[in-house]
Amino acid sequence: MSETSAQVRVIVVGAGFGGIAAAIELTEHGYDDVTVLESAAELGGTWYHNVYPGAACDVPSHFYSFSFDQRASWSRFCSPQEEILDYLREVARAHGVDRRVVTGQRVTSCAWDEGTGTWTVVAEAPDGTTTTRTADALLIATGQLDKPSYPRIEGLEDFTGPVLHSARWDTDLDLTGRRVAVIGTGATAAQLVPELAEAAAHTTVFQRSGNWFLPRRSKEYSAPVKALLAHVPGLNRVFRALLAAYLEFLTAAIRHPRTLGRVLAAWSTLFMRGQLRDPEVRRTAWPDYTFGCRRVLFSSSYLPALQRPDVTLVGDAVTAMTERGPRTADGRVHEVDVVALATGFRTTDFMFPMEVTGSGGRRLREDWADGPRAHLGMTVPGYPNLFLLYGPNTNTSGGSIVFFLEHQARYVRQALDLGRERKAALDVRPEVASSSDVTLQGRFVGTAWVACDSWYRDESGRIVANWPGYMREYADATREVEPADFRYLPVPG
Ligand code: NAP
């Protein structure tokens, strides 16, 4: 550990996979003044907040986990929420970063002070008290799927029963014998609906768009399979390589909708036809957009659940909420006892409403008025020593976000090493950021992503969530920090 690295004060905002990855990378490279501020009562990020029935990850666990902390003990191919949260807690503990997490600290503002070359970070506790901290570098790891999106449905507050968002579920709520409405049919609903159908007296699913599905059975691993993964040298690595190839193939299908995309669409069609025996449900549930434009859903239980006698799929738009339940465009009121909102996240808000102020008092919200953008998803001109994790254009439709976060953590640590050597704060050059943005946006042309509307786009239609290529391309682009990409602002001391 170098003496100077010990003096670099780093604040990380968010203790999900990104914040934990960054804290581990930094502390293991001698940065010992690292504080992770987390608004929730515990670390875990998305895996702390999303406790709805059936919550799980549809990305295989051996790849939805850190390369440096692999487990042979995953219970199944795609693990449930509690197992992933336990994994993250264990990793944080094993690497000694759990004690760096300060919970109950919602960061409300961060401002760059040119005089001192530091960030001033203000955080609010649940009781309203604020704490101001100072750092030499700031990492914002609040991600894209952080803030629940509540639909603008007229009269939503008039409904007399509980209204729950999937990302803020009340696990004490007993659904036995109750009639439940589910609004939304994305990746969350695909996991939630089969579970609700089991528990509730009746489930009514309100769909605005159908989706493309591929199978996900995720049976529990047998003891011999677990033993093989644990004891055969190199097998875990081979397994991960196969999973990576499979995930990259999904991205290839999205990148090439007329060729590989058609092959996967044909597989999906066969699978969905086999599952959707009821012609009425099949007609309603069928997607009307290009395969891969929105997230492909992995579930073998959702479409069968829609055809249960105690489940109704409604394809008419919800026009308003009444005291007794949703009203649809045909004028019907669907009487229910509970409303579950599986309506996703305010993805394009990123860290906002946090106020982020850079050089010369510039505001990130204003700089992003034409859409969020960052060089490699991490750095923004005019915001020295600010790094974003899971920032603009780093979401993946086919891969594992954990893979991206690991590469981002390494890149940020290298950038801080560079700043430490040069006794300077790094500010990405505007021409570098704008040229990489133009190249990145150009790579969406001809892909399935641009064939429809989705949560990947901002209001102007620009795709701001997704990386347009393969995981390996992101790894190549971020493997080594390019010193010429930055301006170096001398910092006092
Ligand atoms: P989502 O994909 O954004 O889906 C939201 C759903 O709500 C859509 O069906 C949307 O319809 C509908 N909706 C939104 N506003 C509505 C309104 N006013 N009236 C009626 N319907 C409305 O959200 P999500 O399912 O929570 O998933 C978000 C992302 O989280 C996923 O894409 C994925 O990246 C991640 N996720 C991952 C997993 C996993 O296993 N890895 C699981 C869950 C979530 P439209 O489609 O018509 O807009």
Side-chain angles (χ1 to χ4, degrees), residues 174-477:
D174 183 7
L175 294 169
T176 316
R178 301 176 94 174
R179 298 162 300 173
V180 183
V182 180
I183 300 182
T185 50
T188 296
Q191 298 176 346
L192 178 66
V193 168
E195 298 292 322
L196 293 186
E198 282 294 321
H202 194 94
T203 306
T204 310
V205 180
F206 293 87
Q207 177 196 282
R208 200 162 65 175
S209 315
N211 286 294
W212 290 99
F213 281 83
L214 286 174
R216 186 190 83 136
R217 291 212 163 72
S218 198
K219 279 203 184 124
E220 225 171 291
Y221 285 128
S222 62
V225 169
K226 279 192 194 166
L228 281 175
L229 283 165
H231 300 299
V232 176
L235 186 59
N236 189 70
R237 191 171 299 194
V238 172
F239 190 36
R240 266 177 69 85
L242 289 172
L243 291 174
Y246 165 66
L247 295 172
E248 297 283 58
F249 181 68
L250 288 177
T251 300
I254 298 168
R255 284 204 53 76
H256 304 286
R258 287 170 191 279
T259 50
L260 281 180
R262 288 204 171 136
V263 174
L264 273 199
W267 178 25
S268 176
T269 301
L270 274 178
F271 170 66
M272 289 176 66
R273 283 218 179 113
Q275 288 220 313
L276 286 168
R277 296 293 179 187
D278 180 320
E280 185 64 35
V281 176
R282 182 193 289 186
R283 223 181 345 268
T284 308
W286 208 264
D288 62 358
Y289 57 86
T290 306
F291 178 90
C293 176
R294 296 182 184 176
R295 198 173 187 285
V296 177
L297 305 186
F298 296 84
S299 172
S300 299
S301 57
Y302 174 76
L303 298 175
L306 294 183
Q307 296 160 102
R308 290 170 57 126
D310 53 359
V311 175
T312 307
L313 176 66
V314 176
D316 291 313
V318 175
T319 51
M321 188 66 72
T322 70
E323 286 178 6
R324 293 174 293 134
R327 175 181 293 127
T328 42
D330 57 2
R332 274 186 69 194
V333 172
H334 303 258
E335 286 198 27
V336 293
D337 305 305
V338 176
V339 172
L341 304 172
T343 44
F345 300 88
R346 299 202 323 263
T347 53
T348 56
D349 282 6
F350 289 89
M351 73 292 286
F352 302 135
M354 189 191 297
E355 279 295 339
V356 184
T357 310
S359 302
R362 60 195 303 160
R363 300 292 175 103
L364 191 58
R365 193 184 279 285
E366 285 157 25
D367 281 334
W368 280 3
D370 292 335
R373 60 197 78 201
H375 178 54
L376 298 170
M378 288 183 275
T379 54
V380 185
Y383 298 82
N385 272 6
L386 171 68
F387 301 91
L388 312 178
L389 282 95
Y390 196 3
N393 294 106
T394 61
N395 183 56
T396 167
S397 300
S400 163
I401 190 61
V402 178
F403 178 92
F404 283 74
L405 290 167
E406 252 187 83
H407 284 81
Q408 290 171 2
R410 201 170 312 143
Y411 179 96
V412 171
R413 191 264 306 156
Q414 288 180 33
L416 292 183
D417 287 351
L418 198 57
R420 194 188 59 201
E421 277 160 36
R422 302 191 182 198
K423 295 189 173 27
L426 273 68
D427 190 8
V428 67
R429 293 181 181 279
E431 65 277 17
V432 169
S434 59
S435 138
S436 72
D437 184 50
V438 169
T439 308
L440 178 140
Q441 288 295 328
R443 294 202 63 213
F444 283 113
V445 175
T447 68
W449 284 299
V450 292
C452 72
D453 194 14
S454 70
W455 68 255
Y456 306 144
R457 295 172 183 263
D458 68 5
E459 278 171 8
S460 73
R462 221 177 107 85
I463 297 186
V464 297
N466 274 31
W467 173 249
Y470 300 96
M471 290 188 284
R472 62 178 157 71
E473 291 175 317
Y474 191 76
D476 288 345

